[in-house]
């Protein structure tokens, strides 16, 4: 019959642990001699030094191949997206509903446009772009970084260019009545030339999808609703830190029930608008309604 193993006392266990930590008979510390501890320490130091060097080399190689001014891959959209302001709507339904007899509703719509137009202040634009003369109707093509700070020049867009929808003449932007203004902005795509580099400037065209009888007429600012060619191409945020998107303001003269569904499309040969998976590509559809 096998004998039962003798149960060790707490003192014996502590003595065993002490001999594990330091064994005077074999001269080992935690099971290894000092020479082996030195060897294994040197091994892991060398291992992690090599791993760190390889990681740093891979990062340096990656950063060396990247262009700081242009993304390597930018093929997600071939045409720019289009948005409308004031952006008081949610992401699912673009509804610009306001009550022209309620001061809070009018103020909310007007304040949204005022905040959006802060970067377009005439004085600010003159300060940022005072050293560069743009040529309207011509692309702002640049092959070198001649602007201060190794950047490229960008053309100013003044708030006053929106005329009746600038908020300078009418601080309510028409929301105290039935002539509201909306602002159309085309998103940026690096090196994009509208109309494939021809001399035709893209322009905004708004059509009434529903409620034709409620829209008397439509005005565009600047005239003809054009995005001047001098704002293209866009070279990126680092290359053009003072760049601002050109804008087109649209004033609707509402009549009847003061409600309509509108589509505003940027017209250009190389700007698509029928992409089912990108509903804001080349166009924006929204509802506008004035109540009292």
């Amino acid at each position: 019959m096998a004998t039962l193993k003798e149960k060790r006392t707490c003192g014996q266990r502590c003595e065993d642990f002490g001999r594990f930590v330091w064994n005077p008979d074999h001269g080992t510390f935690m099971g290894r001699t000092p020479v082996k501890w030195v060897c294994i320490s040197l091994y892991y130091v060398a291992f992690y030094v090599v791993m760190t060097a390889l990681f740093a080399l891979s990062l340096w190689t990656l950063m060396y191949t990247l262009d700081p001014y242009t993304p390597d891959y930018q093929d997600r959209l071939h045409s720019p997206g289009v948005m409308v302001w004031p952006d008081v709507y949610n992401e699912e339904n673009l509804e610009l509903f306001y009550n022209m007899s309620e001061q809070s509703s009018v103020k909310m719509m007007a304040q949204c446009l005022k905040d959006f137009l802060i970067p377009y202040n005439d004085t600010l634009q003159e300060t940022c772009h005072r050293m560069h003369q743009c040529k309207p109707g011509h692309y702002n093509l640049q092959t070198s970084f001649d602007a201060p700070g190794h950047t490229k020049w960008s053309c100013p867009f003044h708030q006053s260019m929106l005329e009746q929808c600038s908020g300078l003449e009418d601080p309510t932007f028409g929301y105290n009545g039935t002539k509201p203004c909306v602002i159309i902005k085309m998103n940026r795509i690096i090196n994009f030339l509208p109309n494939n580099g021809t001399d035709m400037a893209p322009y905004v065209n708004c059509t009434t999808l529903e409620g034709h009888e409620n829209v008397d007429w439509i005005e565009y600012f600047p005239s003809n609703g054009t995005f001047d060619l001098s704002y293209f191409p866009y070279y990126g945020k680092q290359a053009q830190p003072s760049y601002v998107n050109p804008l087109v303001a649209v004033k609707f003269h509402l009549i009847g029930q003061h409600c309509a569904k509108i589509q505003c499309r940027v017209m250009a040969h190389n700007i698509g608008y029928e992409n089912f998976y990108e509903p804001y590509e080349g166009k924006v559809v929204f509802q506008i309604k004035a109540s009292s």
Side-chain angles (χ1 to χ4, degrees):
M1 175 181 285
T3 60
L4 295 175
K5 188 176 181 179
E6 181 181 355
K7 185 176 182 180
R8 300 180 64 80
T9 64
C10 180
Q12 290 173 324
R13 293 181 179 180
C14 290
E15 182 181 357
D16 290 344
F17 179 74
R19 288 183 66 82
F20 166 73
V21 174
W22 173 247
N23 189 330
D25 298 333
H26 299 91
T28 59
F29 174 72
M30 298 186 72
R32 288 189 174 90
T33 63
V35 175
K36 289 185 177 180
W37 274 115
V38 171
C39 291
I40 197 171
S41 298
L42 291 176
Y43 169 79
Y44 278 106
V45 168
F47 174 78
Y48 283 112
V49 166
V50 171
M51 292 298 294
T52 303
L54 289 175
F55 180 70
L57 179 62
S58 64
L59 282 182
W60 179 85
T61 304
L62 175 64
M63 298 304 295
Y64 183 78
T65 60
L66 293 178
D67 186 341
Y69 297 100
T70 306
D72 286 346
Y73 303 102
Q74 49 178 333
D75 56 352
R76 182 171 178 267
L77 275 181
H78 297 287
S79 298
V82 178
M83 295 303 296
V84 59
W85 267 263
D87 57 345
V88 294
Y89 44 80
N90 56 46
E91 294 183 358
E92 296 182 357
N93 300 308
L94 274 63
E95 298 175 339
L96 304 180
F97 293 175
Y98 69 98
N99 191 321
M100 53 187 169
S101 62
E102 288 187 5
Q103 189 65 24
S104 59
S105 178
V106 174
K107 184 177 180 180
M108 179 185 66
M109 305 297 279
Q111 190 62 46
C112 182
L113 289 177
K114 289 179 181 178
D115 293 341
F116 175 70
L117 291 174
I118 288 176
Y120 295 88
N121 177 271
D122 286 16
T123 304
L124 179 61
Q125 286 295 300
E126 285 297 332
T127 302
C128 294
H129 306 277
R130 63 182 180 274
M131 298 176 62
H132 182 56
Q133 297 295 327
C134 293
K135 296 181 180 179
H138 296 81
Y139 287 108
N140 190 22
L141 299 171
Q142 302 171 72
T143 57
S144 58
F145 296 84
D146 297 328
H150 193 67
T151 60
K152 294 187 177 183
W153 300 107
S154 53
C155 296
F157 189 96
H158 300 95
Q159 181 176 351
S160 57
M161 294 170 64
L162 300 179
E163 302 179 33
Q164 298 180 29
C165 290
S166 66
L168 302 177
E169 300 176 7
D170 178 11
T172 67
F173 295 88
Y175 285 94
N176 60 343
T178 58
K179 300 177 182 179
C181 291
V182 301
I183 295 178
I184 305 298
K185 187 191 81 168
M186 183 169 59
N187 294 340
R188 308 173 186 180
I189 295 182
I190 294 178
N191 293 326
F192 176 75
L193 293 176
N195 282 318
N196 290 319
T198 66
D199 293 333
M200 297 177 58
Y203 63 94
V204 172
N205 180 47
C206 294
T207 56
T208 305
L209 302 181
E210 298 177 6
H212 300 79
E213 67 281 2
N214 298 326
V215 179
D216 189 14
W217 56 299
I218 300 173
E219 292 182 273
Y220 300 92
F221 308 98
S223 60
N224 300 322
T226 57
F227 294 106
D228 194 85
L229 295 179
S230 60
Y231 299 101
F232 305 97
Y234 170 61
Y235 289 104
K237 187 175 182 180
Q238 187 166 344
Q240 291 178 299
S242 59
Y243 181 90
V244 291
N245 295 64
L247 306 174
V248 169
V250 185
K251 177 183 279 289
F252 297 97
H253 293 254
L254 302 178
I255 58 176
Q257 297 180 357
H258 306 146
C259 179
K261 185 175 182 180
I262 306 294
Q263 173 183 279
C264 288
R265 177 188 165 195
V266 177
M267 309 293 290
H269 293 313
N270 58 338
I271 297 181
Y273 69 100
E274 296 180 324
N275 189 342
F276 176 80
Y277 300 101
E278 297 290 348
Y280 300 113
E281 181 180 358
K283 71 178 188 304
V284 61
V285 178
F286 58 94
Q287 287 186 318
I288 187 167
K289 180 179 181 181
S291 58
S292 57

